[in-house]
Amino acid sequence: MRAFLALLAALTLVAADAPQRGFEDVTARAGVAVPHHNRQFENPYAAIMAGYTALGAAVAVGDYDGDGWEDIFVTDSAADGKNHLYHNNGNFTFTDVAAKAGVAEPPTPSGSTTTTTAGPTSSWCALVTASSSTTLATAASRT
């Protein structure tokens, strides 16, 4: 019985020193901690419509400025919300340059879909944001 208790105590000590598994939230430290906001509606269908704006939350990743680091574009669905274009600083931090790049304003009050595209031999990175069937904002940069 003593051997069993000694073994149990040893295993408990080993388990206490084991590294914890999981993810550490570094969004604030990286400069990308702005949450997505759903649009608020004042009508009988408000709950349903708010759900649809949640579906408008979108993100695209691409090197928009050609510096070799992947940048991040994030949409927001709130009526007064702003989109975010996070420039990768190359040191695990990002700077929001959406206003400077002209892509901060959301294309519609109901949310948007976004995508980046670049061909395998292309030196261009295109960012397209759209809602419904109308393309509302397009930005492209040579990389």
Side-chain angles (χ1 to χ4, degrees):
M1 181 66 158
R2 285 186 182 180
F4 174 74
L5 292 176
L7 177 61
L8 185 59
L11 289 174
T12 302
L13 289 174
V14 169
D17 289 340
Q20 297 298 314
R21 293 188 178 175
F23 293 98
E24 178 185 354
D25 184 353
V26 297
T27 54
R29 202 170 38 210
V32 294
V34 179
H36 176 266
H37 302 96
N38 286 348
R39 174 87 185 257
Q40 301 299 312
F41 296 92
E42 304 283 333
N43 62 45
Y45 307 103
I48 296 169
M49 294 173 73
Y52 279 109
T53 67
L55 298 174
V59 64
V61 177
D63 182 11
Y64 88 94
D65 60 352
D67 64 359
W69 298 98
E70 298 294 324
D71 307 298
I72 306 169
F73 179 76
V74 182
T75 63
D76 196 290
S77 300
D80 60 349
K82 302 288 184 199
N83 296 325
H84 304 278
L85 176 58
Y86 294 111
H87 173 260
N88 188 332
N89 299 321
N91 61 358
F92 302 108
T93 66
F94 294 81
T95 302
D96 190 349
V97 297
K100 182 179 175 183
V103 294
E105 296 301 319
T108 82
S110 63
S112 62
T113 301
T114 186
T115 185
T116 58
T117 178
T121 59
S122 172
S123 60
W124 285 90
C125 179
L127 172 66
V128 179
T129 60
S131 181
S132 301
S133 61
T134 306
T135 300
L136 298 161
T138 303
S141 67
R142 190 169 180 90
T143 58

